Amino acid sequence: MEIIIESIKKCITSLSNLVESIDWLEHEEKFNSLYMNHSKEINENVKDWPLMDSIDTTACISAIYLVLVLSLNFFMKFFKDVKLKFVVLCYNLFMMGLNFYVFSAILVTKYKAQDFGLCSKIHKNNDQFFEKMNKIIWWFYITKGFELFKTFFFLLRKKFHKINFLHIFNHSTMFPVWWIATAYFSNGALANAALMNSFLHIVMHFYFVVSSFGPSFQKFIWWKRYIVQFQMLQFCMLILYCSFLVKSGCENPLSENMIWLIIYYSLIHIALIYNFYTRSYYRIMNANLEGSKKIEQYKRLYNRTVSEDEFKVSASRRRPLHN
């Protein structure tokens, strides 16, 4: 025990020395310089498009999103839930269509450019397909803005259990992160990440559409747990791909700073999703165990027959799906 305490003290001391050794004033000056000049470096193909002249608008939208989420989370407790079933259905169908457009457009563009390798051919020196890919990536960035509405639908319908740190962190940060990606790196390498993510969201919104038809359709969405697993797999693949870009020396890929941003961002998501998945898994196991005990109690005390499937379906509804 003393050895563990001693190791923890050494670790804390090392971290303290590291923090003290950082020149925070220098980092502040670099950040201010980067912010003041960030609009000058924006890709000319996208600079005049909506929301792309500066990151300020996107950052403000994300900040307003956080304020509204906190406000609605408090005030909706005093009001009745809003009936939005048809609106949410239309929203999910719309998001399916928009993500399908992005997914198919990337595949078509890559096919025309014969861009099948890990070192993408679609970059600034390939004007024929680079501008086309810029438009597709911009639309993918726009989908991240539309995804903010999902949280408000949950709150207005008083589905507070579906709002957790993972959900809020993902939606509030993904929008500005993809602004950076769209503004500076709308190339074929970035399209590989958008390809995986758009496919995932097609499947997710299809799940939401099917589940909106009620409990009788629960048997058709037995595969929902694999969506969460695919989320983790997606970020793992993204880390591997970024690691390849760092070592490969591909012509004109993402910058080294952007690559490391994606790696760290993906690691945070993997940790949060894994925590969510394991907690949900054990919750289901405990719910099914409780259901089995209740079945035995009903059989002994009331001589009633209760279906195990009834308890399993009820338990499965207790685990919300997030993206």
Side-chain angles (χ1 to χ4, degrees):
M1 189 66 181
E2 293 180 358
I3 297 175
I4 296 175
I5 295 174
E6 187 68 26
S7 299
I8 293 173
K9 288 182 179 179
K10 287 182 180 180
C11 183
I12 293 173
T13 303
S14 300
L15 287 173
S16 300
N17 294 334
L18 178 63
V19 171
E20 291 175 0
S21 66
I22 297 174
D23 189 343
W24 295 105
L25 183 61
E26 180 184 353
H27 284 284
E28 182 182 355
E29 291 176 354
K30 287 182 178 180
F31 180 80
N32 289 333
S33 176
L34 180 65
Y35 172 74
M36 296 301 295
N37 298 312
H38 82 277
S39 59
K40 297 178 183 178
E41 304 296 328
I42 297 174
N43 178 7
E44 293 296 329
N45 291 339
V46 304
K47 194 170 186 178
D48 296 329
W49 296 355
L51 304 179
M52 293 308 302
D53 58 330
S54 171
I55 197 174
D56 293 350
T57 305
T58 301
C60 285
I61 291 173
S62 293
I64 292 170
Y65 164 82
L66 290 173
V67 172
L68 289 176
V69 167
L70 294 174
S71 301
L72 279 174
N73 189 57
F74 175 76
F75 287 110
M76 280 305 297
K77 294 176 182 178
F78 304 101
F79 296 94
K80 292 183 178 180
D81 60 309
V82 182
K83 304 301 180 183
L84 296 171
K85 187 173 183 178
F86 180 73
V87 174
V88 172
L89 176 62
C90 293
Y91 168 79
N92 285 315
L93 290 172
F94 170 74
M95 292 301 293
M96 274 183 61
L98 194 54
N99 279 282
F100 180 77
Y101 162 74
V102 172
F103 178 77
S104 58
I106 291 175
L107 286 180
V108 170
T109 304
K110 281 182 166 290
Y111 175 77
K112 290 180 178 178
Q114 296 297 297
D115 183 33
F116 305 119
L118 294 177
C119 287
S120 178
K121 301 176 183 177
I122 303 175
H123 46 69
K124 289 183 178 179
N125 298 331
N126 189 343
D127 296 333
Q128 181 181 0
F129 297 103
F130 181 60
E131 186 174 353
K132 174 70 173 176
M133 191 61 76
N134 291 168
K135 293 179 181 178
I136 300 169
I137 297 298
W138 180 83
W139 274 111
F140 183 71
Y141 153 72
I142 293 299
T143 66
K144 298 306 168 188
F146 282 123
E147 283 175 16
L148 300 180
F149 288 101
K150 186 188 302 179
T151 310
F152 299 126
F153 291 146
F154 285 151
L155 290 171
L156 291 173
R157 297 161 71 196
K158 302 188 74 169
K159 294 181 179 284
F160 302 117
H161 63 282
K162 293 192 175 183
I163 309 296
N164 58 16
F165 181 77
L166 167 61
H167 179 96
I168 295 174
F169 174 79
N170 177 275
H171 286 80
S172 61
T173 58
M174 194 68 76
F175 197 33
V177 164
W178 274 99
W179 183 92
I180 296 172
T182 307
Y184 305 113
F185 309 105
S186 299
N187 54 27
L190 193 68
N192 293 328
L195 189 70
M196 288 189 293
N197 196 257
S198 58
F199 175 75
L200 172 64
H201 280 82
I202 292 170
V203 177
M204 286 182 64
H205 286 286
F206 175 70
Y207 161 78
F208 290 131
V209 168
V210 176
S211 62
S212 67
F213 292 114
S216 58
F217 284 81
Q218 288 286 331
K219 60 184 178 182
F220 299 115
I221 50 175
W222 51 268
W223 39 267
K224 74 173 182 177
R225 65 172 178 166
Y226 298 112
I227 298 177
V228 182
Q229 294 175 3
F230 184 71
Q231 285 178 309
M232 287 190 286
L233 177 62
Q234 170 199 221
F235 285 110
C236 290
M237 292 175 66
L238 200 53
I239 291 172
L240 290 174
Y241 181 58
C242 287
S243 302
F244 166 78
L245 291 178
V246 169
K247 299 294 184 180
S248 65
C250 295
E251 182 184 3
N252 200 7
L254 308 176
S255 71
E256 186 171 345
N257 288 335
M258 187 64 191
I259 289 173
W260 283 109
L261 171 63
I262 293 173
I263 290 175
Y264 292 138
Y265 191 63
S266 299
L267 285 172
I268 293 172
H269 269 86
I270 289 172
L272 291 174
I273 294 171
Y274 179 77
N275 178 63
F276 163 76
Y277 181 79
T278 51
R279 288 174 60 188
S280 300
Y281 174 78
Y282 287 118
R283 192 181 303 128
I284 290 174
M285 295 298 292
N286 291 333
N288 285 333
L289 183 59
E290 290 175 7
S292 298
K293 290 180 180 178
K294 288 181 180 179
I295 290 174
E296 295 300 323
Q297 289 175 0
Y298 282 135
K299 286 180 178 179
R300 287 198 310 266
L301 298 177
Y302 303 106
N303 196 24
R304 289 179 57 187
T305 302
V306 182
S307 171
E308 293 186 8
D309 290 335
E310 179 183 345
F311 281 94
K312 290 180 180 179
V313 169
S314 298
S316 67
R317 292 187 204 133
R318 301 181 189 182
R319 179 167 63 88
L321 179 66
H322 298 271
N323 66 324

